[in-house]
Amino acid sequence: MTHSAEPMVRTENVHKSFGHVQVLRGIDVTVPRGNVCVVLGPSGSGKSTLLRCINHLEKIDSGRIWVDGNLIGYRQKGDKLYELHDKDVAAQRREIGMVFQRFNLFPHMCALENVVEAPTQVKGQTKAQAWRRGMELLSRVGLADKAGNYPSQLSGGQQQRVAIARALAMDPKLMLFDEPTSALDPELVGDVLDAMKDLARSGMTMVVVTHEIGFAREVGDQLIFMDGGVVVESGHPREVLTNPQHPRTRDFLSKVL
Amino acid sequence: MSEPTPSATPVPRQADPIKAVPVRHPGRWVAIAVIAVLAAMFVHMLFTNKAFNWPFMFENMFRPPVIKGLWGTVSITVLAMIIGVLLGIVVAVCRLSENPILRGASWVYTWFFRAVPRLVLLTVMGNLGLLWPRLEIGVPFDVYIGKLFGVEDANWRFLGFTTRDILSGFAVGVLGLALSEAAYMAEIVRAGMLSVDPGQEEAATALGMSRGKALRRVVLPQAMRVIIPPTGNETIAMLKDTSLLIAVPVTAELFFQLDAIGKRTFQIFPMYVAAILWYLFLVSILLVGQYFLERRFARGYGRSGAAKLKLEGLAAEHGGKPELP
């Protein structure tokens, strides 16, 4: 079922608290198909939480999130919401790739096994099929020669690129990046950003939480600046970065630029 | 030596090894003397004390019933550990479940079986026949349900056995040890699962795996590094605890057989020494196994040689050639 008129991601008045701490306080975001949306903001502004809500790793308290026109985590019948069963949530997550700050590669599997694990275990692809596609993806991120290496034998940048290949192996419609370069040595950041730029140019819809202003400027289609659980300012990256309207944005940018 | 220039790579210089008088350890010589005297006294006793009756011991410790008991001990250990580990994993998974009922039930299970001493538990289980002379499968509370519908003495049971027939000493022994072991294994497995970075399960579920699959494919294999070494200790403890089965009693068991020979012939002490020697022998074998097992698991992940082999095996499995350098 395609909803080509629908944006890839739409959130409507999303709230989320952890205990007494309100992390998201009414987020409305729309990411059209094929767009790269960069989320900026100081730590604790709720940007990672928003990302984790989009693939239902966190349950939202109120509001709605749609990905490709499908309500995330719930099924609506008339006015009533029904929680989705775990296996339906899992099915929704298959369409959404996620890349974590700490890579989270499976350390007991080599690079290629990491990439083919979900396609064979979840999608029921044959080993040969997944194998071929896995090698394709690894060469796409420049790591074909590291297929047999365990994560502990790879640098952080290489691990993160394997993690990107692993997410892509599920053929997601949407990719979420949660500070993908924050845990990397400065000299390794470039390779990961290159892999992400390559992906952006191929037309993948991406939501990227990052502090890499250069990346936002180069491939971003829209930029969202979050602070204190709300979207303070949004617009085209070049506009927001060169001519921020809100004082909070100006303040933040003066510190990171 | 040339004057170092900023652009030149530094060259390591030669150095003489240190020659110094080592520290003396007079305490060590005292300790050696004390231990040597004690050892000599012990060996002397072994040869002179008639209660050992060595010829009788060697004659009897290899008799067929003892060897049969030895195999019984080994098979009870293996069976009880297999059931204990599997049940322990189930209990641990329940303990970490989101379902509060399962969490509570598994807590009660571990609490009960860790609190009751094994000897007491096994003795009680040996006398289960007193509690249930017959074991039957049928509708629970059938008598009461029958009364509700006006049927007197409802007896809706499909299968029944005399307890003594199906719960032999051997089965009770295995079951008792396994139930108790599962409580300890549950704690070990739980610790192992908690040692795995929560990001792992998160990454697995983000890829669309169900929680069960994430557990099986991602969390448990990593938890094994933490679970395997203490499981080796548990196996050794289990082997020794099979001697408690004398309380059930289980006849196909090493200590029961040696004890029986001792009591029958009034040569109790030689047979107890035989038991010590047999357990030393069995546990030593396990210790060797444990040494290699722990060395294997201490190594951790990350041997590209093994990975390459595995990849080639995978490739051969589906007839493809791996596109590896």
Side-chain angles (χ1 to χ4, degrees), chain A residues 32-234:
Chain A
R33 204 166 289 275
N35 262 23
V36 175
C37 171
V38 178
V39 185
L40 281 186
S43 55
S45 59
K47 47 198 197 313
S48 287
T49 306
L50 173 64
L51 215 58
R52 295 163 57 80
C53 287
I54 293 176
N55 70 353
H56 208 57
L57 282 180
E58 303 288 354
K59 237 185 205 173
I60 59 178
D61 299 332
S62 56
R64 300 271 193 281
I65 296 177
W66 292 268
V67 170
D68 202 19
N70 297 314
L71 191 59
I72 291 295
Y74 300 92
R75 188 162 44 85
Q76 188 156 16
K77 227 178 182 181
D79 284 344
K80 235 177 162 177
L81 276 188
Y82 298 87
E83 258 185 41
L84 284 185
H85 195 273
D86 281 351
K87 71 175 201 296
D88 300 316
V89 173
Q92 289 186 329
R93 287 194 184 122
R94 269 165 231 169
E95 319 246 275
I96 307 172
M98 183 151 190
V99 175
F100 299 86
Q101 184 178 356
R102 303 276 342 159
F103 331 132
N104 295 355
L105 288 184
F106 307 134
H108 57 302
M109 303 179 191
C110 67
L112 185 55
E113 286 174 314
N114 262 282
V115 177
V116 301
E117 175 68 11
T120 50
Q121 288 296 317
V122 177
K123 272 192 163 177
Q125 285 184 10
T126 65
K127 270 186 187 162
Q129 238 178 334
W131 184 278
R132 215 170 300 121
R133 176 102 171 96
M135 282 312 291
E136 240 172 68
L137 288 166
L138 282 177
S139 18
R140 186 169 165 191
V141 295
L143 289 173
D145 57 329
K146 303 286 184 195
N149 286 46
Y150 282 100
S152 60
Q153 300 167 316
L154 300 172
S155 74
Q158 290 168 338
Q159 288 189 51
Q160 193 60 298
R161 283 183 282 154
V162 173
I164 293 173
R166 177 176 71 174
L168 290 177
M170 292 297 284
D171 294 313
K173 299 189 241 181
L174 167 69
M175 284 284 285
L176 308 175
F177 292 84
D178 188 5
E179 304 205 28
T181 57
S182 299
L184 296 179
D185 290 341
E187 56 184 325
L188 303 175
V189 169
D191 289 336
V192 172
L193 288 181
D194 285 343
M196 289 167 62
K197 285 173 194 167
D198 173 58
L199 190 59
R201 289 192 194 101
S202 75
M204 174 66 73
T205 315
M206 293 161 63
V207 180
V208 185
V209 172
T210 186
H211 296 297
E212 298 291 334
I213 306 291
F215 175 84
R217 204 189 302 266
E218 198 178 327
V219 294
D221 297 299
Q222 60 186 114
L223 187 148
I224 291 169
F225 178 75
M226 281 178 69
D227 190 21
V230 292
V231 175
V232 174
E233 190 166 349
S234 64

